[in-house]
Amino acid sequence: MPAAALGTLLFLPMNLLTLWGAARLAPTRLMLLLMCEVGIAFASSAILADDPFGPRELLGCALILSATLVEPLRQRFAASARPSA
């Protein structure tokens, strides 16, 4: 039971603060900030759990982070491709 209480005490404030900030940021900026968690998770697992971190993991991290740029770049290119009146 103490582990569940400790987990709740740590988990609940972090989620509430994340949702509070999410309501005040632009969606694309929020997406980029939240996806930084992926890189931090890769690095912390390599350091704390002594997991292997080689080229394959680095490529996976880069692919995940680059996928977050698809929508903002698509919107930017679509806006620049429209003929100006």
Side-chain angles (χ1 to χ4, degrees), residues 28 31-32 35-36 63-73:
T28 52
M31 173 188 61
L32 291 173
M35 288 309 294
C36 288
L63 286 172
I64 291 170
L65 292 176
S66 65
T68 63
L69 297 175
V70 169
E71 183 63 20
L73 291 177

Side-chain angles (χ1 to χ4, degrees), residues 2-3 5-8 14 16 18 26 29 34-35 37 41 43-44 54 56 58 62 71-75 82-83 85:
L6 180 63
T8 301
M14 287 186 276
L16 289 175
T18 300
R29 183 169 295 169
L34 291 178
M35 288 309 294
E37 181 184 0
S44 65
R56 183 177 65 171
L58 189 60
E71 183 63 20
L73 291 177
R74 185 191 66 81
Q75 289 176 356
R82 289 188 199 125

